[in-house]
Amino acid sequence: MSLENLSKIRLLEAHKTDAKQLGKLLLSVESSILDSLETTISNQTRMNAAYLAITQLCMAALWANGYRPSRNRPGHHQTMIQSLVHTVGLDADRVRLLDTFRVKRNAIDYTGDDVDPASVDACVEAVHDLRDHVMAWLRVNCPELIG
């Protein structure tokens, strides 16, 4: 489903961003990634930090395309992740991988499930790959937003 169609069904709203707003978000991404690498904290906290960076990168991609998730609809994390196919041309396999981290993060947050170190490492690796992809897309498609 296109971004326009997601907007028509009110899963996305129009949003205008600028280099200052996007820059603040991208700095926050870097902070979240650094937190996810900190081995002196719990795996749960590291996973949450990596997942936060994923959602922040999804938001950056949406902003750069003139959208943001709806404030009034549930499922905004799923919408943000799945929109990466349209916002930055991420392939479906990588989107599915990111969505597995969404599901795992929900289990951790809402059931107290443990998170294994391999899942944390995979999520951290995925967020690095996503950051590289989003930044490359921004450099080509919206250089005015990244300075």
Side-chain angles (χ1 to χ4, degrees):
M1 185 174 293
S2 71
L3 296 175
E4 185 177 306
N5 286 341
L6 290 170
S7 179
K8 285 179 183 177
I9 62 171
R10 298 187 195 145
L11 291 176
L12 296 178
E13 299 173 357
H15 179 81
K16 179 135 175 82
T17 195
D18 57 30
K20 182 178 179 181
Q21 183 186 46
L22 188 63
K24 286 172 57 175
L25 184 60
L26 294 174
L27 282 174
S28 187
V29 167
E30 294 305 317
S31 178
S32 296
I33 289 173
L34 285 175
D35 289 348
S36 76
L37 297 170
E38 182 54 60
T39 58
T40 62
I41 59 178
S42 71
N43 283 334
Q44 179 180 3
T45 303
R46 290 182 63 211
M47 182 78 162
N48 277 329
Y51 181 76
L52 175 60
I54 289 169
T55 61
Q56 291 166 325
L57 286 162
C58 292
M59 185 71 78
L62 279 168
W63 285 358
N65 281 273
Y67 293 98
R68 63 164 288 118
S70 174
R71 294 178 177 101
N72 302 319
R73 300 291 295 263
H76 59 278
H77 283 208
Q78 185 175 18
T79 299
M80 288 193 313
I81 290 170
Q82 292 176 353
S83 73
L84 289 167
V85 170
H86 304 292
T87 56
V88 295
L90 198 67
D91 67 80
D93 288 339
R94 289 170 69 191
V95 169
R96 278 191 290 278
L97 175 64
L98 296 174
D99 200 52
T100 64
F101 298 126
R102 178 188 62 81
V103 171
K104 186 171 281 285
R105 197 271 321 187
N106 282 345
I108 293 164
D109 284 355
Y110 300 116
T111 67
D113 285 355
D114 289 331
V115 59
D116 59 285
S119 292
V120 175
D121 292 343
C123 191
V124 169
E125 182 179 336
V127 76
H128 279 94
D129 290 345
L130 180 59
R131 178 194 54 199
D132 293 348
H133 187 96
V134 169
M135 293 307 297
W137 186 91
L138 287 169
R139 280 191 289 280
V140 170
N141 296 282
C142 302
E144 72 282 1
L145 291 178
I146 58 171

